[in-house]
Each structure stands twice: as structure tokens, then as C-alpha cells.
Amino acid sequence: MKLNGPSAGFTLTELLVVIAIIASLAGLLLPALATAKTKAQGIQCMNNHRQLLLAWRMYAEDNADRLPTSMGRWGWVTGEMSPDGNNPSNWDVELDIKKSPLWPYCQSTAIWKCPADRSAVKPSSGPFKGQPVPRVRSMSMNYWFGAVDGIDLYEYVWGRGWRIYNRFGDLIDPGPSRTFVLLDAREDGITSGGFGVNMAGYPDQPTKTAFFQDYPASYHNRAGGLSFADGHSEIKRWLDPRTMPPIKKGGFLSFDPVASSNNKDILWMQERSTRKIQ
């Protein structure tokens, strides 16, 4: 049966009202979704840290308590991250990650980076030429674990006499629960596998604190992931803006020491890095 009369529908005013309501609801929902995504990435980052640290510990147990070094021929990982499209270490897991002494104990390429790290490079050749390809690693190891094949090459920066951890049994002070092994490094600071915490000024001259080439990442809302020698991981919120300078896309931050007097974040990392040999 056919009904006579005007067809049912929305007026322009009604449509605008509906659109406004939807926009308002979206504005309320999106921050909640962003927060949930950030929390999920944080949980995954901590899981990655724990798995990689477990591989590190298993390696030590199978090698008479000896630890891989942070850098050098006996390093936990070789190769360097860079913005260079001619450097296949950025994207090819076969070159470095699968040749790591930790690889037999983890067998996963995903755990070598923070899920919130979106850094990428454009290879200059090969099947992915010119296309953005995610970099394969964002984690670095505390320099004081083995330094460079057991030798402190940078003592001219922070002075002599700092303890280098070559074996798990060397972790006497500050102890396994307060000594970080791995942390997320910034995309414009990560190069080799080691993260150098500049010990200048520790423990009683905080005006001398400085960065040495390396800055921690702040992928988790001004915070970064770390894992410790006892097996636990945590997300540390950085307090000093100088710890979080703007990302330098396509380049690196300074490779020279950068003074950062009384930086609480540096003091926090120093406290969890090494100690003077008594």
C-alpha cells in the first residue's frame, strides 16, 4: 500500500546536531583509547625486556658465569643503528641479531625493540629501496657490563677506577636488583650495543653530571623501559627536560659529552650503573 505525504528523513539542523554529538563522543573516547594503547605498549615493552634479559642470564649460566660485553668482538650484539639507508644492520635481522650470543636463548626478533619505537629508514638498495622500513633494535646494554671487550676505553671522560661487570658474580655493589642491564635508547642516539652512563660527578659532585653520547628513550609518555640484573623490568619516568631533547630526525645528537648539571635523571642512572673499585 502506498502512503501519501512527505517522505521521512532528517533535516539539515538535525544532521548537524547528530554530527556534533558524534564528534563530542569521539573527543571523549580518543584520549581513553590513546591511554589504553600506551599502557599496552608499556606492558609489551616490559615483556620484551624480561625475555631478552632471561636469554642474557641463560647465556651466563651456560658460560661459567661469564657475561657478554656491551660492545666489541664479544658484544651481546654487533652492528649499529643509524639513519643511513646504506646500513643494512638497520633492517636485516640476519646480520647482527641472529648472530648474537643471546640468539640461541630467545629465538625472537621482536623482543629487541620497544613496540613504541616507530623509527624507520629507507634502504638505498634491495627489495625495500626507498620504502620506510622499521629498524630492528631499540635496546642498548649498560656500558659497564664488560665495557668494550672488558676494557674501559672512555676513562678519560669519567676517570679511572670504575667497576666493570665481566661475570654475574661481579655484581656486588649496587647489586643485581639495582643494576640495570638493558634500556630503551633514543632513535637519534642509539648506535652500537652499549649505553654509556657518564659517571662524572658521582656520588657527591652533582654539578658535574653530563650525558656521554647516549640519551635514554622516552617512548612511554616521557618515560623509558629498563631491565635489571635480578630479572625485573620497569618503566622510569624522566624528570628533567634536558633528558628529553627534541628528536633529531635523520641525524644524531652530539657525540661529545653534554653538560647537564644537577640532572636528577643522570643521578638516577648513575646510582644504578656501577661503583668505584674500593
Side-chain angles (χ1 to χ4, degrees):
M1 182 175 62
K2 184 178 180 180
L3 298 176
N4 296 321
S7 59
F10 291 105
T11 66
L12 178 59
T13 300
E14 289 171 332
L15 286 172
L16 291 175
V17 170
V18 171
I19 292 172
I21 292 173
I22 293 174
S24 298
L25 292 174
L28 295 173
L29 183 61
L30 288 176
L33 291 175
T35 299
K37 181 179 180 181
T38 299
K39 288 183 177 180
Q41 288 177 334
I43 293 172
Q44 183 60 53
C45 181
M46 295 295 92
N47 184 57
N48 290 353
H49 269 281
R50 285 191 290 269
Q51 289 189 59
L52 199 53
L53 198 68
L54 178 60
W56 172 81
R57 183 60 186 268
M58 292 173 68
Y59 172 89
E61 291 175 353
D62 281 352
N63 289 273
D65 201 38
R66 191 156 190 90
L67 301 171
T69 61
S70 65
M71 295 187 289
R73 292 174 295 170
W74 301 297
W76 74 291
V77 67
T78 55
E80 295 188 354
M81 298 293 98
S82 71
D84 185 3
N86 293 308
N87 175 18
S89 287
N90 283 311
W91 65 83
D92 190 348
V93 295
E94 303 291 337
L95 289 181
D96 306 304
I97 287 182
K98 289 190 177 182
K99 294 179 181 178
S100 164
L102 305 188
W103 178 252
Y105 303 95
C106 63
Q107 298 283 310
S108 172
T109 59
I111 65 175
W112 294 73
K113 66 180 298 181
C114 172
D117 176 11
R118 302 301 183 191
S119 63
V121 294
K122 294 181 180 180
S124 57
S125 61
F128 303 108
K129 180 179 179 180
Q131 303 176 37
V133 179
R135 296 200 299 182
V136 297
R137 178 171 61 86
S138 62
M139 293 188 190
S140 290
M141 181 175 286
N142 182 353
Y143 171 83
W144 298 103
F145 280 91
V148 182
D149 289 336
I151 301 173
D152 180 8
L153 296 184
Y154 302 105
E155 60 182 19
Y156 66 91
V157 176
W158 36 64
R160 296 182 178 181
W162 296 100
R163 186 180 301 277
I164 295 173
Y165 307 116
N166 293 309
R167 298 181 180 275
F168 195 85
D170 294 336
L171 291 163
I172 301 171
D173 186 14
S177 65
R178 288 181 58 81
T179 307
F180 84 86
V181 181
L182 301 170
L183 87 168
D184 299 326
R186 285 170 57 106
E187 65 177 84
D188 55 358
I190 185 172
T191 52
S192 62
F195 183 96
V197 176
N198 191 339
M199 298 303 294
Y202 183 83
D204 54 3
Q205 295 181 295
T207 58
K208 295 183 179 181
T209 55
F211 290 103
F212 178 64
Q213 299 184 357
D214 302 313
Y215 288 72
S218 50
Y219 295 128
H220 303 289
N221 191 23
R222 299 171 63 88
L226 302 96
S227 47
F228 291 73
D230 69 338
H232 87 275
S233 57
E234 63 184 69
I235 291 180
K236 163 63 178 174
R237 185 172 179 82
W238 308 116
L239 304 176
D240 195 311
R242 293 172 294 176
T243 307
M244 301 166 283
I247 293 290
K248 189 175 181 180
K249 291 292 184 181
F252 286 115
L253 294 172
S254 174
F255 282 130
D256 296 317
V258 177
S260 191
S261 179
N262 288 290
N263 188 315
K264 293 182 179 180
D265 298 325
I266 295 177
L267 292 168
W268 187 90
M269 288 187 288
Q270 288 177 331
E271 185 67 25
R272 291 157 180 81
S273 293
T274 186
R275 295 288 188 273
K276 277 281 191 179
I277 299 174
Q278 300 299 322

